[in-house]
Amino acid sequence: METSTAHVLSVTPSKADCLSDAPNPYRLVMHFTHFLTIPLYMMAIYSLINKCPKALKEYRNYLLWHTLGNLIFELYISLFMLPVTYLPYPVFRGAGFLKYFDVSGLIQFYLLVICLIHTGLSILEMFKYRFDAAISDDTLIKKTLHKIVIFFWVIVIIIPIFCLATLPRCHPKQDHYKEVLYEENMSNGISIHVLCNTVVTAPPLLDPVFTPLMSLIVTAMLTAATIIPMTFISIWRKLDQLSRHLSKRTIQLQKMLLMSLFIQAVIHGVMLGAPLIGFIYAIVFILPYDSIAYCLLLLISFHGSFSTIAMIFFTKPVRDGVKSILKFFLPFLKSSSLKSPSETVLVSSLTSSRVSFQKDSMYPSNKNSF
């Protein structure tokens, strides 16, 4: 055993090994899909800044925050991190731009965790805003949601602090775990890439850092999965009650914004939740095919693009802004009116309607939280 260990310690991957590219077509899809997604983000951001009615200014800021977060997330995981898998071994290697700076795989993984947290936080803050805009009564559901949101914020604050505080302990442990993994699987043809500094490997399930971190991440996801449907149902019921007092156009507007937000949340939940479940399965059991892992990584990478498409499609002011941009750059498109008469009335009602819906997003929002 001592001889084997000494042999492992003497083996080091070459610089060329650790700088090797991700396999195709995975790398090509991750890189060149941005020729489609970046213009999509730019059109959405331009529409939010210049085409949204002034009445939606405050809520627009939340949409901008979320859209910019999606863009940063996508660029990070597909260009800067670009994780490569070596199944059935629970290993990620960073094959993106950060590999040229020899950024450790553990730090790259922690940055990915922070991006995931930011996505969930921005979604929940938008639901919080819609909730405050629609409901002013101090009901039991409001008090319950208030406690759940506080709990979520506590987790959100703890996770990055926990990651930062455990780095001095985890870096040496990562080297040890990679060496043990390589030693135990040399006869199975394990790649020497797993010894690179840009690699992160899953520790034992009962590791005192890994287990609490995964527990915190899963708890945060379950908490978000509780807040979103509770908030959606509460707001929808409140809008049905308010329909007796407010104009039909105003209720339609509120339901449009709420439905758009809910669909975005579902997209994030599916496209982030499925990969997380898959990777936990790969750690606990065996997932033998890299092709499955790469499909899951593509879901993670482009979840923001699908969310942005949903925002454009289901949020009329943004949709009209994107239509106007496409019409400007593609003059050969049909010169049909961008707005139907009924849609024009709906948007103009944002500023002309005098209904007393004081908690609506077209007015200054209630500064109180849940």
Side-chain angles (χ1 to χ4, degrees), residues 249 252 316 319-320 323 336-348:
R249 289 190 296 270
Q252 286 177 339
K316 188 187 180 311
R319 183 172 72 246
D320 285 344
K323 283 182 179 180
S336 58
S337 175
L338 293 177
K339 301 177 184 178
S340 66
S342 61
E343 289 176 330
T344 304
V345 171
L346 177 60
V347 174
S348 64

Side-chain angles (χ1 to χ4, degrees), residues 300-318:
I300 294 177
S301 180
F302 296 108
H303 76 276
S305 298
F306 283 89
S307 172
T308 302
I309 291 171
M311 179 189 69
I312 293 172
F313 188 81
F314 292 100
T315 308
K316 188 187 180 311
V318 183

Side-chain angles (χ1 to χ4, degrees), residues 80-124:
F80 290 91
M81 185 182 185
L82 192 59
V84 173
T85 61
Y86 294 89
L87 294 176
Y89 312 111
V91 168
F92 281 115
R93 179 175 66 87
F97 293 151
L98 293 180
K99 71 182 179 183
Y100 296 108
F101 301 95
D102 200 31
V103 177
S104 77
L106 185 63
I107 291 178
Q108 293 188 49
F109 174 74
Y110 281 169
L111 290 175
L112 177 62
V113 170
I114 292 173
C115 288
L116 288 168
I117 292 171
H118 177 268
T119 298
L121 181 61
S122 61
I123 279 284
L124 289 184

